[in-house]
Amino acid sequence: MSITREQIRELAEFHSAKSCAVSFYFQPSTPRNKAHKEDTILIKDLAREAMHSMESQGLESKGTESKGKKDSARADIDRIVRLSGELRSNGTHAKAVFACAAQNIWHEYDLPASLPVTQLVVDRYFHLKPIAHLLGAFPRLGVVLVDRHRARIFDLRLGELTEREGLFQTLSRKGRSDGYAGYDGGRAQRRVDDEARQHFKAVAGILKESLEKGVFEKWILGCQDIHRSQLEPQLHAYVSQALLGRFQADLGRITDDQIRTHAEQIVEQWQSDRRRDLATQAVSRARSNARGVTGLRRVLRSLELGEVQTLLIGENFQAHAVECSGCGHLDAHLVSFCPACGRATQEVVDVGEAILPWVIRRDIEMFYVKDDPEFDKVGNIAALLRFRSDNVQPITTTVADQLGRAGAAYPGRLRKFASR
Ligand SMILES: [Zn+2]
C-alpha cells in the first residue's frame, strides 16, 4: 500500500511523551539479488543501535513509565527485524513502517525506492523527513499520452502511476473511425483529418475539465511531435500554463515503467527549478524586510505565528533546539524552561525533523534545498510568508486575529506571543 497525504497528516498528529514512536525506512540496496543478506544484517545492526541508545538514555530516567516505553519500542523493533526477511519480495519498492506497540499502532507503506538510506529511529514523534521529501509540494499530476486516435490519462502520485480508465474509453469511442467504404481517396483523407482534429479537440476539452475539477493541477504530455503540433494549438491558455513538460512516446509501445521514468524526470527538473527560485526569493525578501525570513530563530517564530506559506530547509540542515514538554513551543535557544509557560524543556536533536509534524499538519508547502551557497550563508533555513505580522498596523488587533488562528492549533504558543 502506498501512502496518501491524509495518512502522512495522521502520522504527523502523533505525539506522545508517554510512549515511543518507532519509524523505520527501508531502501533496497542494489544489486538486489546479492545484497539481500546485507540488508538483513544492516537492519539487525540498526535495531541493536536503537535499543542500545534507548538503554543508555534509560540510565537517567528509571521507573515503570520508562520501562513501559522501552518494552513497547522493543516489541516494535523485534517485529521490524522479523519483517526484514520479507522486504526483498517487496520488489522495487522502498518501505516505511510507523509503529507504537503501546498504542497499537503499526502502519506499513510502500514508497518509491528513492530514499537516501535505510534507517530506524525511536523518538517522541514519527520521523517524517523521508516522506516529506516525497511530498515536497508534489502537485496532483496527470500524465497524458495521445496519438491520432487514442488518449490515455494517468495519475502520478508519490511514484505510483495509475491509469484513469474512464476517460480513455470515452475518448477512444469518440475517436473511433466508422470506416471509409464508399469514399474516394481525397474525401477519405479529409474525413480522417477531420476526425483527428475532432479527437485532439476532445482531448483538449477533457484536459480543461480535469484541471477545472482539480483532478490534477499540473500535467505532462507524452506523444510524437506530429501529434503534439496538432494538440497544442487546441489547448486552453491555462491548460498550456499547467504543462510541466513533454516527452516522446509511441502510445502503442511505451510501457508503464517508461512513462513513469519520463514523467519523474520532468517533475524533478521542474521541482529543482522551483526550489532554486523560491530559495532566492526568500533570501532577497528577507533582506528587504518584506515577506521572507531566514535563520532558525526567525523561521521558528514565523511558524508559531502562522505566517509561513513556504518553508525551505537545507538538505543537510542540522540544528539543536529545545521543545517545551507542556505547550510544545520550540526554541532555538537551549533554555531549560519554556519562555512561554515556564515548564521544563526537552532537548531536540534535529529541529528540522521536529518541525515537520507542524508543517505537515498545517499544509505548509515545503522544499529541501540542495547545493545553494547563498542559502547556506543565511542559515540553511528560510521561509516565504503569507503576511508579516510585525509590519501590520495597528498591531494589537491584527496580531490578535492571527494569534487566534495560530492559537487554535497551538494554545501554548499563543500565550508566548500574546505576552510580548
Ligand atoms: Zn511551554
Side-chain angles (χ1 to χ4, degrees):
M1 186 164 103
S2 59
I3 195 162
T4 65
R5 205 171 273 264
E6 260 324 294
Q7 288 162 335
I8 295 175
R9 184 190 284 273
E10 268 172 40
L11 293 169
E13 300 282 346
F14 181 90
H15 187 285
S16 172
K18 291 205 180 77
S19 40
C20 283
V22 177
S23 316
F24 172 63
Y25 291 94
F26 170 72
Q27 168 66 19
S29 54
T30 48
R32 242 187 335 259
N33 51 358
K34 176 173 164 269
H36 170 60
K37 197 170 174 198
E38 291 163 29
D39 283 338
T40 311
I41 292 167
L42 171 65
I43 292 165
K44 279 184 181 154
D45 285 348
L46 290 172
R48 205 172 303 121
E49 278 169 35
M51 287 309 300
H52 182 75
S53 82
M54 243 184 346
E55 294 297 340
S56 56
Q57 283 164 19
L59 292 177
E60 297 150 33
S61 58
K62 289 225 163 69
T64 51
E65 193 180 279
S66 157
K67 184 174 181 304
K69 263 196 210 180
K70 265 185 279 180
D71 288 347
S72 165
R74 185 179 290 113
D76 289 328
I77 291 170
D78 286 347
R79 192 167 165 190
I80 286 164
V81 171
R82 286 199 301 277
L83 182 76
S84 69
E86 300 166 24
L87 289 172
R88 189 191 184 188
S89 57
N90 202 31
T92 54
H93 284 115
K95 186 134 201 142
V97 177
F98 303 97
C100 176
Q103 298 196 25
N104 261 323
I105 294 173
W106 178 273
H107 299 298
E108 282 178 37
Y109 299 105
D110 288 339
L111 300 176
S114 55
L115 302 175
V117 287
T118 293
Q119 54 178 313
L120 176 62
V121 195
V122 182
D123 205 337
R124 298 186 291 277
Y125 41 83
F126 292 122
H127 278 215
L128 301 175
K129 185 171 167 184
I131 34 181
H133 261 272
L134 296 174
L135 266 186
F138 209 101
R140 281 197 300 284
L141 195 71
V143 183
V144 180
L145 270 67
V146 288
D147 68 10
R148 208 176 165 79
H149 301 291
R150 293 170 294 178
R152 300 176 69 190
I153 300 186
F154 299 83
D155 288 324
L156 184 64
R157 304 273 184 283
L158 302 175
E160 293 292 325
L161 192 73
T162 325
E163 182 151 15
R164 289 193 165 261
E165 299 287 348
L167 292 173
F168 174 45
Q169 277 155 17
T170 318
L171 280 168
S172 60
R173 235 191 340 272
K174 277 186 192 158
R176 188 187 297 144
S177 160
D178 295 326
Y180 312 113
Y183 288 88
D184 62 61
R187 287 181 68 188
Q189 187 54 46
R190 273 196 303 281
R191 170 157 181 175
V192 170
D193 289 348
D194 190 49
E195 275 189 352
R197 207 167 18 253
Q198 291 301 324
H199 166 64
F200 287 119
K201 199 173 163 188
V203 174
I206 285 196
L207 287 171
K208 179 167 179 276
E209 205 181 301
S210 301
L211 281 162
E212 280 168 354
K213 286 187 183 158
V215 174
F216 46 81
E217 299 161 293
K218 302 280 179 192
W219 67 290
I220 287 168
L221 174 62
C223 64
Q224 293 175 331
D225 284 340
I226 181 166
H227 299 135
R228 177 184 154 192
S229 63
Q230 286 176 282
L231 172 65
E232 292 197 357
Q234 308 251 24
L235 297 175
H236 192 276
Y238 69 76
V239 178
S240 299
Q241 279 161 22
L243 177 62
L244 292 189
R246 311 168 182 87
F247 62 93
Q248 287 279 338
D250 178 343
L251 201 154
R253 292 208 192 122
I254 195 163
T255 66
D256 282 9
D257 269 348
Q258 288 167 330
I259 298 171
R260 198 181 53 230
T261 308
H262 281 298
E264 281 177 346
Q265 277 166 1
I266 290 169
V267 177
E268 260 168 46
Q269 185 58 48
W270 173 73
Q271 280 180 328
S272 103
D273 293 348
R274 192 163 145 71
R275 264 195 304 266
R276 195 171 316 118
D277 182 43
L278 291 171
T280 310
Q281 272 188 50
V283 172
S284 78
R285 284 197 201 171
R287 268 194 201 121
S288 60
N289 229 22
R291 287 184 298 161
V293 288
T294 53
L296 179 60
R297 269 202 61 171
R298 193 58 188 85
V299 168
L300 285 179
R301 181 165 184 270
S302 289
L303 279 171
E304 290 190 325
L305 284 169
E307 294 174 336
V308 176
Q309 174 158 19
T310 304
L311 176 68
L312 298 140
I313 307 182
E315 171 83 14
N316 301 313
F317 176 77
Q318 268 290 346
H320 286 236
V322 291
E323 179 184 34
C324 173
S325 53
C327 71
H329 166 69
L330 280 165
D331 209 303
H333 287 301
L334 305 181
V335 289
S336 309
F337 297 96
C338 174
C341 74
R343 272 186 259 192
T345 60
Q346 290 174 294
E347 192 188 9
V348 174
V349 177
D350 182 358
V351 67
E353 182 64 61
I355 58 178
L356 286 185
W358 301 13
V359 170
I360 292 168
R361 283 197 300 257
R362 306 181 81 176
D363 261 335
I364 293 170
E365 186 183 38
M366 188 184 62
F367 290 98
Y368 286 97
V369 180
K370 268 193 269 203
D371 308 325
D372 185 333
E374 275 302 298
F375 190 71
D376 219 16
K377 262 187 248 166
V378 297
N380 234 339
I381 186 164
L384 287 162
L385 309 182
R386 293 172 217 283
F387 59 87
R388 191 163 169 142
S389 42
D390 54 9
N391 283 353
V392 185
Q393 298 294 335
I395 199 150
T396 42
T397 52
T398 320
V399 169
D401 285 350
Q402 287 151 6
L403 288 172
R405 238 177 292 151
Y410 307 104
R413 295 184 180 112
L414 170 66
R415 281 194 293 279
K416 178 185 174 195
F417 293 103
S419 65
R420 280 192 175 168

